[in-house]
Amino acid sequence: MPDYMYMLESRLSAEQRAVLVRMQELAVETTTNVYLAGGAVRDLISGMSIRDLDFTVEGNPSRFARELEKGGARVVDEDEKLRRIEMVFAGDVDGSIEAAREEIYPRPGVRPETHWSTIMEDLRRRDFSLNAIALSLNAASRGLLLDPTNGLADLESREVRALSIHSFTNQPVRLLRAIRFAARMEFKLEPRTEEWFNLALERGLQESIAPEDAGAELRQVAREDKPVQILKAWEARELLEAISPQLAKRHPHYEMLARILKARDDLAASGIRPRLRVPVSYAALGKLKDRELSSALHRVGYRQHDIDEVTSLEERAQKVIATLAGRKTAAPTEAYAFLEKAPGDLLAFILAESSNSKAVGKIRTYLTKWRALRQALPAAILELESIGMAHGPKFDKVIEDLFQAQLQGKARNPELRLKLLRKLSGIKELPKKKIDEKGKKPADKSKKKLGGKPGAAPPAPGTPVESPKADTLARLQAARKGKAAAAAAPPAKVAKPIAKTKATAARKR
């Protein structure tokens, strides 16, 4: 049996893991059963990236939300009737907390009666089997997978399966949702679900989709990795009119969307993951006129703050462009400081749509060079520690001064970087001692040059002293001259035998 908790913890980011741990702690403190449900479990099993953490509690989620707000979380939207709270948890993690509930329909197509219930009933009342899976976070059953509708089998067969024949009748917005899931995950509709889907279209149920529900789906598309595929799939099924009749006629601005998504990838390559909800919403409705855009957003239930963000996107982008093209950001240090604080969604929109080469060039330099310099500072920190500087305000200032110098093109290789660190810190390099291969100090060469032996007294001042090399050379030259002279001399005469003495001659006589 798979270890789902191990799989989950290995797939989550550090910030997401922190949220998961905090929710488990609150579950113990409040003696409430808590489950990770829906999208996170679906994406975990299917191998997709986990974007949101949606928790279901068997109780009131408000207590959890209040405690999480103390740790830096913020509430985005709260539905008191359904006890559902959309949040951005600490660490900029998207998600929600909702109460487990059961929905009972007196008859198909009418509003359901809601009863607070258990996790199993909550899973059974959901829209599709792939969303009806949960993972227990409770101490007694931690890591237990709950799958009452056999969603694992549908994930394996790559199908979107509705849980009821009345699924689309009860909530027509599921027509949009089914296609969104199929396009995002590259799944197909399960055969029986396909039949129910087509029957719903024949009955015109798409025309009864509540504008607020359609707006909620549009907001989800704005957060998707593949908004173009989803919008095209909606258009192919003639579902865009549920968003806006003008949008169905003029079509989404697919080219702009593609450029924004490319800019998103460029930002992600440098470690920036912007929220593209506003630029994608703007591009999806990008072919509408200003008044039509505002009217369409009002119609689908966007809050006024969100409408203002979408409709003012170009104006806000132009202000950023003007600053980047002006004198205030002429120096690299000034441009970097400005871009560090600029919203990521505006940077993506400018990269996608601006023709100002100066502004676009600075953004690209920031992404490809300046951020890389900042990310390489840990190496400089280690070097500064190695030369003996203690951590403190001066330490931090030296590192920051180094970074500012690097922005201007200085000290970008290790040797020059270390040299500048020594200069900024005031720590000079110690003189190096000369050591031979055996680790001993070299002999005193001056004594050899004087021709003396170790321990001998130096010659008297003024005494001419020849170096050992000169003396040896002189002896060699003298030997060579002697050999040459011997070779040139005439050969010696051989002495004749000595004549016999007179006495010897007399005896012979």
Side-chain angles (χ1 to χ4, degrees):
M1 182 178 178
D3 186 342
Y4 290 107
M5 283 305 299
Y6 174 78
M7 291 171 56
L8 177 65
E9 291 171 354
S10 63
R11 292 271 307 281
L12 296 177
S13 66
E15 294 78 10
Q16 289 174 324
R17 283 195 297 273
V19 173
L20 192 74
V21 169
R22 183 58 182 146
M23 285 297 294
Q24 292 176 90
E25 292 173 349
L26 290 174
V28 174
E29 294 173 12
T30 60
T31 62
T32 304
N33 289 331
V34 178
Y35 305 87
L36 185 67
V41 184
R42 175 197 65 226
D43 295 339
L44 169 69
I45 296 169
S46 62
M48 301 184 71
S49 59
I50 300 174
R51 303 181 310 162
D52 305 336
L53 296 181
D54 297 320
F55 299 98
T56 299
V57 302
E58 292 179 339
N60 192 341
S62 297
R63 291 184 297 173
F64 287 82
R66 302 295 88 84
E67 289 297 323
L68 290 167
E69 282 183 304
K70 295 177 183 179
R74 64 182 186 276
V75 173
V76 176
D77 188 32
E78 185 170 359
D79 188 332
E80 295 182 358
K81 185 176 180 181
L82 295 179
R83 292 187 181 178
R84 188 176 192 279
I85 305 172
E86 290 186 24
M87 303 190 70
V88 176
F89 299 108
D92 212 25
V93 176
D94 291 321
S96 66
I97 310 173
E98 64 178 337
R101 68 182 188 271
E102 180 184 7
E103 293 178 343
I104 300 174
Y105 290 85
R107 63 179 184 276
V110 300
R111 288 185 175 275
E113 297 176 2
T114 300
H115 303 280
W116 312 122
S117 186
T118 65
I119 184 64
M120 297 300 284
E121 295 301 325
D122 183 271
L123 295 176
R124 290 190 182 98
R125 61 92 190 160
R126 299 200 174 206
D127 47 10
F128 307 107
S129 63
L130 50 77
N131 289 332
I133 311 173
L135 193 65
S136 174
L137 302 179
N138 307 301
S141 57
R142 188 172 181 270
L144 178 65
L145 193 75
L146 306 175
D147 182 20
T149 64
N150 201 21
L152 286 177
D154 294 317
L155 286 173
E156 186 175 349
S157 59
R158 303 178 66 82
E159 291 181 337
V160 177
R161 176 170 61 87
L163 295 179
S164 168
I165 190 174
H166 302 299
S167 183
F168 300 116
T169 303
N170 291 336
Q171 294 189 33
V173 71
R174 289 172 176 170
L175 294 168
L176 291 170
R177 199 174 301 157
I179 299 304
R180 176 165 64 86
F181 285 131
R184 179 214 286 182
M185 305 179 73
E186 298 181 1
F187 282 14
K188 62 182 179 180
L189 298 183
E190 180 259 345
R192 189 169 54 174
T193 301
E194 180 80 38
E195 292 177 9
W196 297 342
F197 185 95
N198 293 332
L199 181 60
L201 292 182
E202 290 176 9
R203 293 172 55 194
L205 289 181
Q206 70 274 22
E207 298 174 6
S208 62
I209 297 174
E212 295 80 8
D213 292 340
E217 282 299 307
L218 181 60
R219 281 192 288 272
Q220 288 296 327
V221 169
R223 299 177 60 246
E224 293 280 357
D225 291 336
K226 302 176 181 179
V228 173
Q229 290 87 327
I230 294 170
L231 289 169
K232 286 184 176 181
W234 280 356
E235 188 170 15
R237 300 274 189 164
E238 299 182 352
L239 293 172
L240 282 181
E241 194 162 343
I243 305 293
S244 166
Q246 291 88 355
L247 179 63
K249 293 177 182 177
R250 297 181 185 172
H251 316 291
H253 202 318
Y254 294 121
E255 296 81 7
M256 184 189 296
L257 276 170
R259 292 193 293 268
I260 290 173
L261 296 178
K262 185 180 182 304
R264 175 197 65 187
D265 295 340
D266 292 341
L267 289 169
S270 66
I272 300 174
R273 299 190 177 278
R275 297 172 181 271
L276 295 182
R277 174 180 53 83
V278 172
V280 171
S281 297
Y282 181 84
L285 305 171
K287 292 188 177 181
L288 302 184
K289 297 178 181 179
D290 291 343
R291 289 184 180 180
E292 292 175 337
L293 173 60
S294 179
S295 177
L297 293 173
H298 274 292
R299 177 181 177 274
V300 295
Y302 270 55
R303 293 185 293 268
Q304 187 59 49
H305 173 73
D306 296 330
I307 294 173
D308 292 341
E309 280 194 318
V310 175
T311 55
S312 66
L313 177 62
E314 285 199 9
E315 181 183 351
R316 290 184 289 120
Q318 285 300 326
K319 289 181 180 179
V320 174
I321 292 170
T323 302
L324 288 174
R327 294 182 179 179
K328 290 183 178 180
T329 59
T333 54
E334 296 166 344
Y336 176 85
F338 176 78
L339 288 168
E340 272 288 277
K341 298 178 181 178
D345 60 344
L346 286 182
L347 298 183
F349 185 74
I350 292 169
L351 286 176
E353 297 302 304
S354 177
S355 58
N356 189 307
S357 60
K358 199 169 186 179
V360 171
K362 285 182 180 178
I363 294 175
R364 294 205 177 278
T365 302
Y366 166 73
L367 296 177
T368 59
K369 295 182 180 179
W370 295 342
R371 281 184 62 82
L373 290 174
R374 172 65 76 180
Q375 291 165 0
L377 284 182
I381 291 174
L382 292 176
E383 289 175 346
L384 191 55
E385 290 173 344
S386 69
I387 64 176
M389 189 169 192
H391 280 267
K394 185 178 179 181
F395 186 101
D396 297 336
K397 186 178 186 305
V398 169
I399 293 297
E400 187 59 31
D401 289 346
L402 169 70
F403 177 64
Q404 297 298 325
Q406 288 181 326
L407 287 178
Q408 300 174 34
K410 302 175 183 177
R412 290 194 178 181
N413 66 53
E415 183 179 351
L416 294 176
R417 182 175 65 203
L418 183 59
K419 186 176 181 180
L420 181 57
L421 284 173
R422 287 190 176 279
K423 180 179 178 181
L424 293 172
S425 64
I427 300 175
K428 296 182 180 180
E429 188 175 5
L430 295 175
K432 296 181 179 179
K433 295 181 180 180
K434 295 182 180 180
I435 299 175
D436 63 11
E437 294 180 357
K438 294 182 179 180
K440 298 180 180 179
K441 293 182 180 180
D444 191 349
K445 295 181 179 180
S446 62
K447 295 178 180 180
K448 292 184 179 180
K449 289 182 180 179
L450 294 174
K453 296 181 181 180
T463 304
V465 180
E466 292 184 356
S467 67
K469 289 184 179 179
D471 183 56
T472 303
L473 183 61
R475 288 199 301 271
L476 289 173
Q477 289 175 347
R480 287 173 184 164
K481 287 181 180 178
K483 290 181 181 179
K493 294 182 179 180
V494 179
K496 294 182 178 180
I498 299 175
K500 295 179 179 180
T501 64
K502 294 180 178 180
T504 303
R507 281 196 302 269
K508 285 184 178 181
R509 290 190 190 116

